[in-house]
């Protein structure tokens, strides 16, 4: 009986040890496979080329929120990190996910992701508050530069614009940000002068070659439930 009890005790000890070893190996394997997020470089400064835009709409809070989004979106694209706080504060989760698509598509096609020399040039034309009878929504229409991004991040020799509408949202804490973007091909943008600003220091060409190095937009605490 004593011998049988000792054998059972020895068997339980071996089983417990095996479980502990398996758990340690599993944890180590998971940790070894975990993608480590790259440290973000310092947030760049923005310098207007010529006079900063000073039109009548520039003081509108919805336009200011749009410009902050364009700046944060460009920074996020340049570092392939769409979870940065500046973008979370200026764009909905859907808008952040859409911003990541060009980088993901580039990498899947074995190309280096494009970078932007500065915030995408934008000229606001109209602001519609109380959009669709909602005081926490607005629509900012204007002209946005095309072909602003490239692998080298060079400033294009000529800026051409196309129509766009930024549909904005105001969260319960007062944060104003882009909810979604809609193209407006019928908006007359061929003859407008787009204000241009550049990042200082200038962004470096991307070295991302793997989809796992693109940090996608996850739900943040600021995002409304269900979005």
């Amino acid at each position: 009986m004593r011998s049988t009890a000792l054998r059972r005790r020895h068997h339980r000890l071996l089983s417990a040890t095996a479980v502990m070893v398996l758990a340690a190996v599993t944890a180590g394997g998971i940790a070894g496979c975990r993608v480590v997020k790259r440290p973000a470089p310092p947030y760049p400064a923005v310098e207007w080329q010529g006079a900063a835009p000073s039109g009548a709409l520039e003081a509108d809070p919805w336009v200011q929120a749009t410009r902050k989004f364009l700046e944060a979106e460009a920074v996020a694209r340049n570092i392939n990190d769409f979870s940065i706080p500046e973008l979370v504060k200026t764009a909905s989760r859907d808008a952040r996910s859409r911003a990541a698509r060009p980088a993901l598509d580039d990498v899947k096609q074995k190309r280096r992701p494009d970078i932007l020399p500065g915030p995408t040039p934008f000229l606001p034309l109209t602001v519609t508050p109380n959009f669709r009878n909602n005081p926490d929504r607005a629509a900012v229409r204007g002209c946005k530069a095309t072909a602003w991004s490239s692998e080298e991040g060079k400033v294009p020799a000529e800026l051409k614009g196309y129509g766009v509408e930024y549909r904005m949202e105001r969260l319960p804490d007062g944060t104003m940000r882009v909810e979604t973007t809609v193209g407006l091909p019928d908006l007359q943008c061929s003859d407008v002068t787009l204000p241009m600003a550049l990042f200082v220091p200038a962004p470096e060409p991307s070295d991302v070659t793997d989809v796992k190095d693109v940090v996608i937009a996850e739900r943040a605490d600021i995002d409304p439930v269900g979005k």
Side-chain angles (χ1 to χ4, degrees), residues 83-94:
S83 67
I84 60 173
E86 294 84 359
L87 188 61
V88 171
K89 292 179 181 178
T90 58
S92 69
R93 183 180 178 184
D94 179 66

Side-chain angles (χ1 to χ4, degrees), residues 12-207:
R12 288 197 298 268
L13 180 60
L14 289 176
S15 299
T17 302
V19 170
M20 292 174 64
V21 170
L22 178 61
V25 170
T26 302
I30 293 173
C33 295
R34 186 177 295 120
V35 176
V36 178
K37 180 178 175 180
R38 296 182 175 195
Y43 201 82
V46 173
E47 289 187 358
W48 290 101
Q49 306 302 292
S54 58
L57 294 177
E58 293 297 330
D60 189 285
W62 292 111
V63 171
Q64 294 176 2
T66 302
R67 289 213 178 279
K68 290 179 180 178
F69 160 72
L70 290 169
E71 179 181 312
E73 179 197 32
V75 172
R77 288 184 60 179
N78 288 345
I79 64 175
N80 297 293
D81 185 346
F82 299 89
S83 67
I84 60 173
E86 294 84 359
L87 188 61
V88 171
K89 292 179 181 178
T90 58
S92 69
R93 183 180 178 184
D94 179 66
R96 301 195 303 271
S97 296
R98 289 175 181 271
R101 288 179 186 174
L104 293 170
D105 290 341
D106 283 342
V107 174
K108 290 176 182 177
Q109 296 298 322
K110 306 301 181 182
R111 300 189 299 264
R112 289 190 305 177
D114 281 355
I115 59 174
L116 295 79
T120 303
F122 174 69
L123 179 70
L125 298 179
T126 64
V127 177
T128 305
N130 199 35
F131 185 62
R132 293 179 176 172
N133 296 316
N134 188 329
D136 292 320
R137 297 291 187 273
V140 177
R141 287 189 172 191
C143 299
K144 176 182 178 181
T146 63
W148 179 244
S149 62
S150 66
E151 279 195 5
E152 298 78 18
K154 294 181 178 179
V155 178
E158 182 182 5
L159 290 182
K160 295 182 179 181
Y162 70 96
V164 65
E165 179 177 85
Y166 293 104
R167 295 181 180 174
M168 315 293 292
E169 64 180 356
R170 178 166 38 222
L171 302 181
D173 67 356
T175 298
M176 302 165 74
R177 62 183 192 172
V178 171
E179 185 174 24
T180 190
T181 305
V182 179
L184 301 175
D186 294 334
L187 198 62
Q188 296 300 315
C189 292
S190 58
D191 296 326
V192 301
T193 300
L194 300 174
M196 181 175 66
L198 301 179
F199 289 131
V200 179
E204 297 288 336
S206 175
D207 63 353

